[in-house]
Amino acid sequence: MTQHVSDIMTSAPVTVEPQTSVTAVAQIMRDQDLGAVLVTDGEELRGLVTDRDLVVRSLAEGGDPEQITVVGACSDDLVTLTPEDDLDHAIELMREHSVRRIPVVDHGHPVGIVSLGDTAMERDPGSALGDISAARPNT
């Protein structure tokens, strides 16, 4: 049976506007236990920002994280999927583009995120990545 991206994606992704401060995005990630959020301008997907992006592309550059906006930290050359896409296609895209998360869009509007961890839990739950992805975070 063919599996679709919609079967495993995280639905209703958290989004922020491009002018949101790096500090505010980091606090959202902390409070909601997220590793990535989508950057949207209205209904339009503008990018994806990860916790690593915040550190490497913003904080490491210096400046005031209250004044630096997330638009400078996000990946804006995005690969996207649709909910109807085959899970194998999602895995191929992750390999081809060396990404761990791909936004899922429906008619141009973000509806989810599928991650490498999601695919590992689905395809190989006994693997180290599957175990780690399924584990509840330590708080």
Side-chain angles (χ1 to χ4, degrees), residues 79-134:
V79 176
T80 61
L81 293 161
T82 69
E84 298 80 27
D85 280 329
D86 185 293
L87 192 53
D88 288 332
H89 179 60
I91 293 167
E92 288 171 19
L93 284 177
M94 287 178 186
R95 281 185 178 136
E96 180 181 335
H97 296 278
S98 300
V99 295
R100 295 181 175 133
R101 297 174 180 96
I102 299 180
V104 181
V105 296
D106 188 15
H107 297 85
H109 304 293
V111 295
I113 297 176
V114 65
S115 72
L116 182 61
D118 296 332
T119 63
M121 286 189 309
E122 184 63 31
R123 292 290 172 91
D124 194 6
S127 69
L129 181 57
D131 284 346
I132 292 166
S133 298

Side-chain angles (χ1 to χ4, degrees), residues 20-38:
T20 307
S21 75
V22 167
T23 299
V25 174
Q27 290 169 342
I28 290 167
M29 288 178 169
R30 177 200 62 204
D31 295 346
Q32 296 190 34
D33 190 32
L34 300 170
V37 297
L38 298 179

Side-chain angles (χ1 to χ4, degrees), residues 39-107:
V39 179
T40 57
D41 194 355
E43 291 287 316
E44 182 183 343
L45 179 63
R46 292 272 311 267
L48 179 139
V49 65
T50 67
D51 45 7
R52 183 178 189 283
D53 292 335
L54 293 181
V55 172
V56 173
R57 295 183 180 165
S58 290
L59 299 178
E61 296 298 319
D64 182 356
E66 289 285 341
Q67 301 300 316
I68 301 169
T69 61
V70 73
V71 75
C74 73
S75 300
D76 56 5
D77 186 20
L78 296 178
V79 176
T80 61
L81 293 161
T82 69
E84 298 80 27
D85 280 329
D86 185 293
L87 192 53
D88 288 332
H89 179 60
I91 293 167
E92 288 171 19
L93 284 177
M94 287 178 186
R95 281 185 178 136
E96 180 181 335
H97 296 278
S98 300
V99 295
R100 295 181 175 133
R101 297 174 180 96
I102 299 180
V104 181
V105 296
D106 188 15
H107 297 85

